[in-house]
Amino acid sequence: MAPPTPLLAVRGSKGLYMVNGPPSFTENATFKRDAGKNCKAFTFSQDGSLFAWCNGEKVNIVNVTSAELVRSFDLPKAVCLELSPKNIILATWQAYTTANDGTAGVPNLQLYDVKTGKCLKSFIQKKMQNWCPCWAEDESICARSVNNEIHFFEKNEFNTIANKLHLQKVSDFVLSPGSQPNKVAVYVPGSKGAPSFVRLYQYPNFGGPQSALANKSFFKADKVTMLWNKKATAVLVIASTEVDKTGASYYGEQTLHYIATNGESAVVQLPKTGPIYDVVWNPNSTEFCVVYGFMPAKATVFSLKCDPVFDFGTGPRNAVYYNPSGHILVLAGFGNLRGQMEVWDVKNYKIISKPLGSDSTYFAWCPDGEHFVTATCAPRLRVGNGYKIWHYTGSVLHQYEVPVNEELWQVSWQPFLDGIFPAKAVTYQAVPSELPNTEPKPAQAYRPPALRNKPVTSSKLHEDEPPQNMKPQSGNSDKPLSKTALKNQRKHEAKKAAKQEARVDGSQESAPPPATRNVPCNPMPAVTSGDPEVDKKIKNLKKKLKAIEQLKEQAASGKQLEKNQVPWVSSYYHSKYTKRRTSWHSIFFFLLFFWDGMPMSTALDHCWRKFRKRVLSFRS
């Protein structure tokens, strides 16, 4: 049986309608267009079977397949809609208002039974942020934040609070996806020098911090974003501050934390400094991708151990999107960037295409995992509104441009349950399209008239880093090293190389000298003072003298020395022989002969003669 065709809902100044997905891209004839200009909101159910919208007069719910009206509610002021996972409850929200005399207003959050149309419960919800209650996937529980508590309702019985999670100043929570056992992640901001923290609980075990599955505390967090993976085994926490006190960025500071339900937690180390633009879990729940760092931004895939798996290098991007199957990834630069996209094969980490979606403000994958839509919507941009449907190989299959003096407000794909669209093999050959290539040519940099007839010289502000595989190579079980580990490794290698060089120098000193050099036949035995520090200084002096002798031989043989070598040799012996340098060399030679067993007078005599001989030989 062929999979169904996803629909694309389109809302704008010309009303609300639906477009058939690939391959037809025609307006859906089953759903009757709502031509009113006051359509404020719409939503699909999670399985895509129901569609609800508010047209400024009523809230209607229809069956998507047959367009049959399921239920209608007289709610002209509703601006937010949400259907529960099992399509049992419709949640609506409208702006909260108070009476003229200052008394409390009427409840503005309503929960309706879809089948009967009865209002099950009403609440006062002043803020639009996090207005909707959260349901478990099977609707066994529903949670809502109230002051310093999270209230839980079971089996949609909203008149009785089945359980409470009380934490002082709790500001946010997220229920885990998937089936039971249900888990909840809660965030409590820090105060008076105390750190902020995120805790994971399993419902209904809320008996204090000891009952928590995991706990992670951190500083520098004015707000957080918590992301569960699809299997509900771990949470990613993006902690953000409004102001960067170091002055490095006006975006504030962001840090990324990993918390697992087995108690493990870690800070995700990001090699490049700068803001965190986007974090997304792979639908397979085994890895996640982060876009971060000052422009050009880096993008890296991390494993569940927070180790880098693949680095996409740097580029103009600030968003990342996995397709529903998790085997194709899109890196994009929207907003104040030009709309450049990179489509990657996740399994082989090979780039598939590089389409350009200029002025895009919205991106979403089609449920089939092969197509995606980009749109330019108002009020973000009120000029050039429209949308494009792409194949992941870079071909534009359908394009719609809104006429002048009209606006596009919202587009959204009809969702489907997992498994409806099986994953297909990745192809690198571009899919043919009937539309011409309308990508704008890149703008040329301005050149003054005096330089226009001369060759163009490349002048990049940044050198882009190439992609690289961060997995350990076959036969090497070592995991990729962090910056600190690499620094320590280099220090260790430098010390090891110095030791080897010292051994080589020692062996060269102990070996018989070449016959061409005028040295005594009996080499001087090794001198030890018993003090390691003094021996070390003597050894370093020997190395310096040896280097000078080698430079002398090279100069005598006619070799042209470097500029930084000639003054070093000459000035070391010939120029500016101060008392300090003379006494330093005298002490060295005295110690050398005295420790060899000579009497003091003989050692002083040998010391002076040797030093005078060296100086005169250079001056001549």
Side-chain angles (χ1 to χ4, degrees), residues 9-55:
V10 181
R11 181 175 68 92
S13 57
K14 291 190 68 175
L16 174 67
Y17 60 97
M18 290 192 185
V19 176
N20 294 315
S24 61
F25 307 111
T26 57
E27 184 173 345
N28 185 267
T30 305
F31 180 82
K32 186 178 179 181
R33 178 193 286 253
D34 191 334
K37 295 184 178 181
N38 296 321
C39 184
K40 300 176 182 178
F42 70 79
T43 183
F44 282 99
S45 62
Q46 291 190 12
D47 60 359
S49 61
L50 298 181
F51 181 74
W53 78 98
C54 177
N55 57 12

Side-chain angles (χ1 to χ4, degrees), residues 46 53 232 395 524 560 580:
Q46 291 190 12
W53 78 98
S395 303
M524 187 183 299
Q560 185 70 26
R580 179 185 176 192

Side-chain angles (χ1 to χ4, degrees), residues 270-402:
L270 303 177
K272 188 172 185 179
T273 58
I276 298 175
Y277 302 103
D278 201 4
V279 181
V280 175
W281 279 103
N282 189 316
N284 61 19
S285 299
T286 60
E287 60 187 20
F288 56 93
C289 185
V290 187
V291 181
Y292 59 95
F294 294 112
M295 290 293 167
K298 287 180 73 69
T300 307
V301 175
F302 293 89
S303 66
L304 292 180
K305 294 183 178 180
C306 299
D307 294 329
V309 176
F310 187 84
D311 187 351
F312 295 97
T314 58
R317 76 274 292 234
N318 55 14
V320 57
Y321 308 91
Y322 279 99
N323 75 333
S325 302
H327 68 302
I328 300 176
L329 175 142
V330 173
L331 296 173
F334 296 142
N336 56 353
L337 300 178
R338 292 185 58 240
Q340 295 174 342
M341 295 180 282
E342 298 176 11
V343 185
W344 287 81
D345 178 1
V346 174
K347 183 177 180 181
N348 302 311
Y349 286 110
K350 293 183 179 179
I351 195 162
I352 303 172
S353 62
K354 288 186 176 182
L356 178 64
S358 301
D359 300 329
S360 298
T361 62
Y362 177 78
F363 177 101
W365 275 100
C366 180
D368 63 5
E370 295 186 76
H371 303 84
F372 57 83
V373 62
T374 60
T376 304
C377 301
R380 178 66 183 269
L381 285 177
R382 298 188 183 275
V383 180
N385 285 184
Y387 65 87
K388 296 179 181 178
I389 298 178
W390 308 69
H391 191 265
Y392 67 83
T393 55
S395 303
V396 180
L397 304 182
H398 178 67
Q399 180 177 356
Y400 174 72
E401 295 181 0
V402 176

Side-chain angles (χ1 to χ4, degrees), residues 39-289:
C39 184
K40 300 176 182 178
F42 70 79
T43 183
F44 282 99
S45 62
Q46 291 190 12
D47 60 359
S49 61
L50 298 181
F51 181 74
W53 78 98
C54 177
N55 57 12
E57 298 177 359
K58 294 183 178 181
V59 173
N60 299 318
I61 303 177
V62 299
N63 184 290
V64 175
T65 305
S66 61
E68 179 183 354
L69 183 64
V70 175
R71 187 64 56 189
S72 181
F73 302 91
D74 189 12
L75 296 169
K77 296 183 180 180
V79 293
C80 294
L81 306 172
E82 192 72 31
L83 286 163
S84 63
K86 294 292 184 180
N87 304 334
I88 298 175
I89 305 296
L90 172 68
T92 66
W93 183 89
Q94 62 187 35
Y96 178 75
T97 57
T98 57
N100 294 331
D101 57 357
T103 57
V106 297
N108 59 328
L109 170 60
Q110 285 87 19
L111 303 179
Y112 293 93
D113 190 320
V114 174
K115 289 185 177 180
T116 63
K118 179 182 177 181
C119 182
L120 301 177
K121 189 67 176 178
S122 296
F123 301 99
I124 292 179
Q125 177 69 31
K126 296 183 179 181
K127 295 182 180 180
M128 182 184 290
Q129 184 181 7
N130 299 328
W131 69 271
C132 187
C134 297
W135 280 273
E137 192 173 271
D138 57 359
E139 294 195 24
S140 58
I141 61 172
C142 177
R144 181 173 176 265
S145 179
V146 181
N147 296 330
N148 291 327
E149 295 180 337
I150 301 174
H151 294 177
F152 292 86
F153 308 93
E154 294 182 353
K155 299 179 181 180
N156 291 324
E157 294 291 339
F158 297 102
N159 293 320
T160 303
I161 300 175
N163 215 321
K164 291 182 180 180
L165 174 57
H166 178 81
L167 289 172
Q168 191 68 26
K169 296 184 179 180
V170 60
S171 65
D172 197 7
F173 76 98
V174 180
L175 280 181
S176 64
S179 57
Q180 297 184 11
N182 299 302
K183 307 176 186 69
V184 58
V186 295
Y187 164 65
V188 176
S191 60
K192 296 181 180 179
S196 307
F197 64 85
V198 171
R199 286 179 186 165
L200 308 185
Y201 291 94
Q202 180 172 308
Y203 183 84
N205 302 324
F206 302 143
Q210 293 77 15
S211 62
L213 300 175
N215 182 57
K216 183 73 171 72
S217 59
F218 43 83
F219 290 94
K220 295 183 179 181
D222 295 330
K223 62 178 181 179
V224 301
T225 301
M226 296 177 285
L227 305 171
W228 282 97
N229 63 0
K230 205 168 185 179
K231 294 182 179 179
T233 59
V235 177
L236 290 173
V237 180
I238 308 169
S240 306
T241 59
E242 299 294 339
V243 179
D244 185 355
K245 294 183 179 180
T246 63
S249 173
Y250 53 82
Y251 290 108
E253 288 184 272
Q254 293 86 28
T255 54
L256 182 61
H257 305 270
Y258 169 86
I259 311 173
T261 54
N262 59 5
E264 296 179 354
S265 63
V267 179
V268 182
Q269 299 293 337
L270 303 177
K272 188 172 185 179
T273 58
I276 298 175
Y277 302 103
D278 201 4
V279 181
V280 175
W281 279 103
N282 189 316
N284 61 19
S285 299
T286 60
E287 60 187 20
F288 56 93
C289 185

Side-chain angles (χ1 to χ4, degrees), residues 394-466:
S395 303
V396 180
L397 304 182
H398 178 67
Q399 180 177 356
Y400 174 72
E401 295 181 0
V402 176
V404 182
N405 300 326
E406 294 182 7
E407 293 180 348
L408 177 67
W409 298 333
Q410 185 182 3
V411 295
S412 180
W413 288 106
Q414 175 191 6
F416 285 86
L417 297 176
D418 295 338
I420 300 296
F421 295 94
K424 295 183 180 180
V426 176
T427 178
Y428 292 83
Q429 184 67 32
V431 172
S433 174
E434 298 179 358
L435 298 178
N437 187 5
T438 58
E439 290 187 5
K441 294 182 179 180
Q444 298 293 329
Y446 172 77
R447 303 193 73 201
L451 299 177
R452 288 176 185 173
N453 296 325
K454 295 182 179 181
V456 179
T457 58
S458 61
S459 57
K460 289 186 176 181
L461 294 176
H462 305 279
E463 288 295 334
D464 291 339
E465 298 180 16

Side-chain angles (χ1 to χ4, degrees), residues 543-562:
K543 288 176 67 175
K544 291 180 180 179
L545 291 174
K546 182 180 177 182
I548 294 170
E549 293 291 344
Q550 291 176 352
L551 291 175
K552 276 176 54 182
E553 293 177 1
Q554 293 175 5
S557 63
K559 181 179 178 181
Q560 185 70 26
L561 298 180
E562 299 291 339

